[in-house]
Amino acid sequence: MPQLKRIKDIPESLNPGAFDRAISEFITESGSGEHVNLDGLKQQLIDAIASILVLKTATTSFMWAAEEEGEIVAFALAHVNKDVDNSLCYWATDAWVSRSYRRTAYVRSWWEQIRSHAKFLGCKHILIPSSRGSKA
């Protein structure tokens, strides 16, 4: 059973290019189309992940990942800031689950881990912006 973990470094168990493949699948499957610069979106995700795992400059951001056989099967990027109601908010900005794990009990369990982390940090709100297009 792949476990979703909040990671702080690139796992040595990952195959080379695993993040790139997962990001590419996320972009392909996200429904982002004509109104989104797909190359810009990919670079934004790579930069966000690098700032958390490599550069360590995104101190209020989190990278969640589940892996199986050296490949990423789920990931989520999140961050905390003071926002709605002037209270702490946990933003899950980008998330992806491979087709083989969608609509399984794993996803509910993984979501509960993220939700518990938000509660542990004292966040009043959990916000998940839609990636299904650029229209509000």
Side-chain angles (χ1 to χ4, degrees), residues 1-5 11 13-15 18 21 65-74 96 98-101 106 110:
M1 168 178 153
Q3 297 292 315
L4 187 74
K5 298 176 186 174
S13 55
L14 285 182
N15 296 327
R21 285 186 291 282
E67 67 172 284
E68 183 176 66
E69 297 178 8
E71 294 297 317
I72 303 284
V73 295
W96 171 81
S98 72
R99 290 182 188 269
S100 58
Y101 288 99
Y106 293 112
W110 294 340

Side-chain angles (χ1 to χ4, degrees), residues 87-99:
S87 59
L88 284 178
C89 296
Y90 198 94
W91 290 82
T93 55
D94 299 283
W96 171 81
V97 175
S98 72
R99 290 182 188 269

Side-chain angles (χ1 to χ4, degrees), residues 7-9 46-62 78-80:
I7 59 175
K8 297 179 182 181
D9 298 292
I46 290 169
D47 290 349
I49 292 168
S51 69
I52 297 167
L53 302 182
V54 179
L55 302 174
K56 315 280 190 206
T57 56
T59 58
T60 60
S61 296
F62 310 102
H79 68 271
V80 172

Side-chain angles (χ1 to χ4, degrees), residues 14-120:
L14 285 182
N15 296 327
F19 273 111
D20 189 59
R21 285 186 291 282
I23 290 168
S24 293
E25 285 190 48
F26 166 76
I27 290 170
T28 299
E29 297 173 354
S30 71
S32 299
E34 63 186 79
H35 301 293
V36 177
N37 175 333
L38 300 180
D39 291 333
L41 175 58
K42 185 172 186 177
Q43 190 61 54
Q44 173 190 344
L45 292 170
I46 290 169
D47 290 349
I49 292 168
S51 69
I52 297 167
L53 302 182
V54 179
L55 302 174
K56 315 280 190 206
T57 56
T59 58
T60 60
S61 296
F62 310 102
M63 176 77 206
W64 293 85
E67 67 172 284
E68 183 176 66
E69 297 178 8
E71 294 297 317
I72 303 284
V73 295
F75 74 82
L77 285 168
H79 68 271
V80 172
N81 69 357
K82 199 171 175 185
D83 202 328
V84 179
D85 301 335
N86 200 33
S87 59
L88 284 178
C89 296
Y90 198 94
W91 290 82
T93 55
D94 299 283
W96 171 81
V97 175
S98 72
R99 290 182 188 269
S100 58
Y101 288 99
R102 292 179 197 162
R103 295 181 180 85
T104 68
Y106 293 112
V107 177
R108 181 174 294 260
S109 169
W110 294 340
W111 168 245
E112 285 304 318
Q113 285 180 263
I114 293 171
R115 190 169 172 262
S116 293
H117 186 239
K119 286 182 176 184
F120 172 77

